[in-house]
Amino acid sequence: MLTSKSKYGGSRSLEHSTHLAVLVLVRFISRTAQQTIVLLGIALASISVLAQTQAQGSCDQTPVRSGAFSLDCLNMHPTLVLEGDWGLSYVARDTNRSFEGFVDVPQAWRNVQIERPLSPFGRGTYSAIVSSNSPSLDRLGLFVPRQFAAQEVKIIQPSGEELILFSSPEVDDYSRVARTAARMPLIPLPTMYANSKLEITLTAIASRSGGFWRAPIIGRMEALVHKEVVQKSLATAVCAFLFLFAFLNLALWSAKSSELAPLYLAATAMLVAVRQLSTSGILYDYFPSLSVRFEAYIGWVGFLLGGSFAMLYFYSRFRVLLNYLAFLPMILLLPPALVIMVTLPLESLQYFGDWLRPVFTIGAVIVFVQLVRGAANNDGDLRITAAGTIGLILGWIIDILYYQYANDDLPIGGTSVAWIVFIGSQSLLLSMNYSRSLRRTEQLTHELQSLNASLERQVQDRTHELEQNNQELIALSRIDTLTQLHNRRAMAEFMQAAVDRAVRFKQSLSLAIVDLDHFKQINDRYGHHSGDEVLVAVATCLKESTRTIDYVA
């Protein structure tokens, strides 16, 4: 690495320090993530399914029948999912329509099979009576899934005593339902007797999913706490990895701001992480005042913007391969979705989302097909990206199928696991590409330094040679080439300086003029060569006969 400072300040040093820090981080992630990303995805998916299976432990597919359920199976299983036929007393908000009868749980009001669907906006009280061979059951708890509604949970004991265990302040006020806190804590139950009645009231106006679209769970309090801890621990691990990848990509982008792909990937990772914090309830443990409306919109923001940034990442990284048709659905539908989210009620966005999900899925499939076509050229990056894309599609399908089968969400959805594997693998690829680029830059810099040093040495040699040549030229211009005595030009310069010095210091100055007699006869009789030898001999005699301070020319 270069360590020299720029003469204009410390910006170059800061830039090199940033590159060095990023390189260290990249190499660390590259060494560790390469072996663990796939294993992490498999482990999270396996633990998620295992935790769901162990924590649920239902002893009957439909334990609630005709508004009654037995708790006897809690002697063998830790928890019981209260699915089945609950009694429902319902009144619509905007009409006088009401309903009394049994309905399936989980099921939204709009899906209740009667003459006309019930409105999703209204107030409904679900009730179920406890039947048990045991005289009493204690140390139980109740988990009521978060709904887009205000809730009240009440126990009516056989003696007629009513115990309100949980009540949202907004349950009796339609105008304030949207402000209901999204956090729904585990509810400790009092001692349950045979014929105790459980009543759960929902007041919903903010979503088309009014009603129990997820079933409550009753069980031993320690089992419910354990289930919640396992689910939130897994969600925390997922979010931690997502934020880690986000910060890594932000570091890559800050070191190479001209490339936007790491920025888009970081934004995608953060949005997926925030959405996971919301769906797992961790966000509302830290911010209990956040409302159900906030929960609904944060989910849609994560879906819309997360999908958009993911598409932008694909386009910025593989624009040569991808056809614009893959991004046309996002371009056409995203602006209307954002306008609907800001201006219209939530149910309008939910209905619009019925179009968005398949359209985004089709776009993802188109991207996958085009990546596979490009991967035919033995491009390893494209193959990994194509595998990650199909993983996202499969994760989405797994979540939908599981919900249809179990009427519940996995603690860690397949989509979340697929996002971790995809974002992790892409972060690894970007890190390795940046590392290779940085090493190539270092190599080129070293070669440039070597060339500069070689060029500097050549310049110094040529400068020294030039100085020598200049000295020789000066000497040639002031020395007679035959006699090696100073010539007339040099004598004139010396005489001027000598006269000036003598006048200034009032010193005497001597000048001797020597002439050779009959020199022409020597040239004529013996030739000019002999004459030159005579001149050289006389010059040598003069030089040997004078002092060092004398000047012979």
Side-chain angles (χ1 to χ4, degrees), residues 53-66:
T53 304
Q54 291 180 343
Q56 212 160 286
S58 175
C59 58
D60 197 336
Q61 292 294 330
T62 55
V64 184
R65 299 181 179 180
S66 301

Side-chain angles (χ1 to χ4, degrees), residues 367-420:
V367 168
F368 169 72
V369 172
Q370 293 178 350
L371 289 176
V372 169
R373 291 174 59 187
N377 297 325
N378 295 323
D379 190 327
D381 288 7
L382 280 177
R383 290 184 176 182
I384 294 175
T385 303
T389 305
I390 194 64
L392 289 174
I393 299 172
L394 292 177
W396 197 339
I397 295 174
I398 289 172
D399 284 350
I400 294 175
L401 293 179
Y402 184 86
Y403 184 81
Q404 295 297 325
Y405 171 76
N407 289 313
D408 199 0
D409 295 322
L410 285 166
I412 302 297
T415 307
S416 298
V417 176
W419 271 120
I420 285 184

Side-chain angles (χ1 to χ4, degrees), residues 21-83:
V22 173
L23 180 59
V24 172
L25 180 61
V26 164
R27 288 177 178 173
F28 172 76
I29 295 295
S30 299
R31 291 175 182 174
T32 57
Q34 193 170 10
Q35 295 84 13
T36 59
I37 287 178
V38 176
L39 294 179
L40 172 66
I42 296 174
L44 286 174
S46 302
I47 295 174
S48 175
V49 175
L50 181 61
Q52 184 76 1
T53 304
Q54 291 180 343
Q56 212 160 286
S58 175
C59 58
D60 197 336
Q61 292 294 330
T62 55
V64 184
R65 299 181 179 180
S66 301
F69 62 95
S70 173
L71 297 177
D72 292 339
C73 68
L74 292 180
N75 295 321
M76 297 179 294
H77 299 278
T79 60
L80 177 63
V81 181
L82 296 178
E83 299 179 353

Side-chain angles (χ1 to χ4, degrees), residues 12 25 36 78 80 113 196 265 274 302 356 386 407 409 414 418 451 522 527:
R12 177 179 294 181
L25 180 61
T36 59
L80 177 63
Q113 299 297 321
S196 294
L265 193 61
V274 171
L356 280 176
N407 289 313
D409 295 322
L451 291 175
I522 296 175

Side-chain angles (χ1 to χ4, degrees), residues 243-492:
F243 280 121
L244 173 64
F245 294 138
F247 292 142
L248 171 63
N249 282 280
L250 285 176
L252 292 174
W253 174 72
S254 65
K256 194 176 182 181
S257 57
S258 60
E259 186 176 350
L260 294 178
L263 180 62
Y264 295 144
L265 193 61
T268 303
M270 286 188 176
L271 288 167
V272 173
V274 171
R275 195 170 190 272
Q276 181 65 49
L277 289 174
S278 175
T279 56
S280 64
I282 297 174
L283 184 63
Y284 310 108
D285 291 338
Y286 288 97
F287 302 98
S289 61
L290 295 178
S291 67
V292 293
R293 181 177 291 274
F294 174 86
E295 179 187 11
Y297 281 108
I298 198 66
W300 279 104
V301 168
F303 170 70
L304 293 174
L305 297 185
S308 301
F309 278 116
M311 290 293 186
L312 287 173
Y313 169 76
F314 281 116
Y315 178 73
S316 64
R317 184 126 190 264
F318 306 106
R319 68 180 66 187
V320 177
L321 297 174
L322 299 182
N323 191 286
Y324 72 94
L325 290 176
F327 308 98
L328 188 61
M330 179 190 69
I331 296 173
L332 295 179
L333 295 180
L334 180 61
L338 294 175
V339 172
I340 292 173
M341 183 173 65
V342 174
T343 60
L344 297 180
L346 176 61
E347 63 269 19
S348 301
L349 182 61
Q350 291 175 327
Y351 283 112
F352 192 73
D354 292 339
W355 292 87
L356 280 176
R357 292 185 184 91
V359 167
F360 269 60
T361 303
I362 292 172
V365 172
I366 294 175
V367 168
F368 169 72
V369 172
Q370 293 178 350
L371 289 176
V372 169
R373 291 174 59 187
N377 297 325
N378 295 323
D379 190 327
D381 288 7
L382 280 177
R383 290 184 176 182
I384 294 175
T385 303
T389 305
I390 194 64
L392 289 174
I393 299 172
L394 292 177
W396 197 339
I397 295 174
I398 289 172
D399 284 350
I400 294 175
L401 293 179
Y402 184 86
Y403 184 81
Q404 295 297 325
Y405 171 76
N407 289 313
D408 199 0
D409 295 322
L410 285 166
I412 302 297
T415 307
S416 298
V417 176
W419 271 120
I420 285 184
V421 175
F422 176 80
I423 295 176
S425 62
Q426 294 303 302
S427 300
L428 177 61
L429 292 177
L430 289 175
S431 301
M432 295 174 65
N433 290 339
Y434 178 76
S435 179
R436 287 193 293 266
S437 174
L438 208 56
R439 286 197 296 268
R440 178 58 179 166
T441 302
E442 291 178 351
Q443 180 182 357
L444 293 176
T445 302
H446 179 71
E447 293 177 359
L448 181 60
Q449 288 178 332
S450 300
L451 291 175
N452 287 338
S454 175
L455 181 61
E456 185 176 356
R457 287 193 299 269
Q458 292 180 11
V459 169
Q460 290 177 350
D461 294 341
R462 294 297 299 273
T463 301
H464 180 68
E465 181 181 352
L466 183 60
E467 290 177 351
Q468 288 182 337
N469 292 336
N470 287 337
Q471 293 295 330
E472 292 177 0
L473 288 175
I474 293 173
L476 290 174
S477 67
R478 299 172 61 86
I479 300 295
D480 180 71
T481 57
L482 177 63
T483 63
Q484 296 301 308
L485 297 178
H486 296 96
N487 58 17
R488 180 175 179 178
R489 177 182 176 183
M491 183 64 182

